Amino acid sequence: AAAVAPGAAAAAARNSTTGKPYIVLVLVDDWGWDNAGYHRPNDPEVATPTIDRLVREGIELDRHYAYHYCSPSRSTLQSGRLSVHVAYGFDDPLLRSNVDPDSGFSGIPRNMTGLAEKMRAGGYRTHMTGKWDAGMATWDHTPMGRGYETFFGYYHHAVDYYTEHVADSSSKPDMCGNLVDLWNTTGPARTRNGTAYLEEMFTENTMGILDRHNPAEPLFLFHAFHLVHTPFQVPEEWERPFLFIQNVQRRKYAAMVHYMDAVVGKIVKKLEDKGMWDRTLMVVSSDNGGPTYHFPWSGPAGARNAPLKGGKFSDWEGGVRVNAFAAGGAIPAARRGTKLEDFIHMADW
């Protein structure tokens, strides 16, 4: 859609006759339960002012559950099915079966319907920014094959935030050595990798989507952070306020959480400026609990899930009960500022 001037955008948003809310789905990667300010207030290690405000103005989803690590959770979210029926134990990109053309690849089986496909059928424009990690073997497995009109992001579990090299590609020659994973809808984003901090590029892409969107049309936007997944990399100016934290992993993790919070604030501000926030339903969730492990190949993790037990890769609540909330003007006034303690699963969306 063509870009719309701010005044015209606000008017279009107010006068639209569709009655459909704008849906903005935000997924945070490896976000610890106790690394959210609304769970740990008045602690300088946790700086999430935007998220804390949105929780106060929206609905805190206190018992929102996911799978205990990335790929199965993301496949669940995009398919509306429990992980055991989608990608459980079959999420390594190198895995395949030569006898099953539908389910014989990692990620969501080809014969399952995607969330964005349903949204497009309902008249929504559909766009995605960020981490996919729900299949890439064929075009059917990509975000475009699942219903997204545009996608700027990467397919694997993790990449370097500055080079976009797949995090473990140097140790796996069968993954083409130093594989770069950065994609822009129809092909590799060859001119973009290595040009900026990855989350800066992701933010720019989402801002561009919102700038170009015609508010008279329904919008489904999925912004999937790489933050706060390893590798622990963040611009120096964002780490500087947390230098009082002696543990390096915890310090960088805290800075990355703060960066993530600032990006959420930019998305909200852009929606407000275009007159769209009053009809927006924003859902924010982590894909699993925060990592608290200490693996020999990666070192200690930086998250904290207290008072929950366990963390990422664990079936204890610290691994599967995640930070989540809903916000935006589409939330009924009577429900704003409340906490929902009913059970919700990632598949329910």
Side-chain angles (χ1 to χ4, degrees):
V4 182
R14 288 193 300 271
N15 297 328
S16 174
T17 58
T18 65
K20 296 177 180 178
Y22 309 112
I23 308 294
V24 179
L25 179 58
V26 177
L27 192 64
V28 185
D29 202 340
D30 286 5
W31 184 20
W33 180 267
D34 207 34
N35 297 105
Y38 67 95
H39 283 148
R40 195 181 356 163
N42 305 315
D43 189 325
E45 184 171 335
V46 182
T48 55
T50 297
I51 286 169
D52 299 346
R53 174 176 62 83
L54 293 175
V55 170
R56 289 194 301 270
E57 297 173 355
I59 302 175
E60 179 182 348
L61 305 178
D62 187 54
R63 301 193 74 89
H64 188 280
Y65 289 85
Y67 196 70
H68 63 221
Y69 72 98
C70 309
S71 301
S73 273
R74 291 163 190 273
S75 295
T76 283
L77 181 62
Q78 296 295 333
S79 67
R81 299 167 184 252
L82 293 176
S83 302
V84 69
H85 300 302
V86 187
Y88 170 74
F90 204 64
D91 48 65
D92 187 319
L94 298 177
L95 292 175
R96 61 172 297 169
S97 165
N98 294 323
V99 298
D100 188 342
D102 292 322
S103 303
F105 305 92
S106 65
I108 305 169
R110 299 166 80 175
N111 58 351
M112 291 185 180
T113 305
L115 173 60
E117 292 178 75
K118 288 294 188 181
M119 298 303 287
R120 286 189 77 173
Y124 277 77
R125 306 304 302 268
T126 59
H127 303 281
M128 177 183 170
T129 299
K131 175 177 176 176
W132 177 241
D133 201 12
M136 67 182 104
T138 71
W139 188 256
D140 293 340
H141 290 89
T142 70
M144 289 65 65
R146 297 299 179 187
Y148 289 97
E149 297 175 58
T150 66
F151 165 61
F152 179 69
Y154 68 97
Y155 287 108
H156 284 80
H157 305 312
V159 296
D160 185 279
Y161 283 85
Y162 290 100
T163 67
E164 289 74 54
H165 288 180
V166 175
D168 60 354
S169 63
S170 61
S171 64
K172 292 186 176 181
D174 54 352
M175 290 180 68
C176 307
N178 277 326
L179 178 67
V180 172
D181 186 359
L182 189 64
W183 194 269
N184 192 2
T185 306
T186 57
R190 299 185 190 280
T191 62
R192 302 295 303 280
N193 66 285
T195 62
Y197 186 58
L198 182 62
E199 293 292 350
E200 179 183 331
M201 291 193 284
F202 285 171
T203 304
E204 177 185 322
N205 189 71
T206 288
M207 295 298 103
I209 291 168
L210 293 174
D211 278 332
R212 294 185 295 271
H213 183 71
N214 180 353
E217 297 181 286
L219 171 68
F220 173 58
L221 170 62
F222 179 42
H223 186 100
F225 285 98
H226 184 5
L227 295 167
V228 275
H229 197 290
T230 54
F232 291 134
Q233 297 171 323
V234 66
E236 182 182 351
E237 63 269 25
W238 287 88
E239 184 177 356
R240 199 173 297 124
F242 299 93
L243 290 177
F244 64 91
I245 302 174
Q246 297 300 308
N247 180 280
V248 175
Q249 287 78 19
R250 278 178 46 206
R251 181 171 70 241
K252 291 183 179 294
Y253 188 94
M256 293 164 77
V257 169
H258 186 42
Y259 191 111
M260 176 272 294
D261 179 83
V263 173
V264 172
K266 290 180 180 179
I267 295 172
V268 171
K269 181 66 164 54
K270 180 66 71 174
L271 290 165
E272 291 173 338
D273 290 347
K274 290 203 65 166
M276 297 170 63
W277 181 248
D278 287 345
R279 276 187 40 222
T280 292
L281 172 63
M282 172 182 275
V283 176
V284 180
S285 172
S286 182
D287 62 344
N288 46 251
T292 57
Y293 46 68
H294 187 158
F295 292 141
W297 59 87
S298 63
R304 172 173 155 152
N305 299 308
L308 306 182
K309 180 178 181 178
K312 181 179 181 180
F313 296 124
S314 161
D315 286 327
W316 298 109
E317 284 218 320
V320 297
R321 184 179 175 185
V322 298
N323 296 319
F325 62 90
I331 301 290
R335 301 305 306 272
R336 297 174 190 173
T338 63
K339 178 188 290 189
L340 182 65
E341 297 183 346
D342 294 350
F343 289 86
I344 302 175
H345 192 273
M346 188 78 76
D348 294 332
W349 297 108

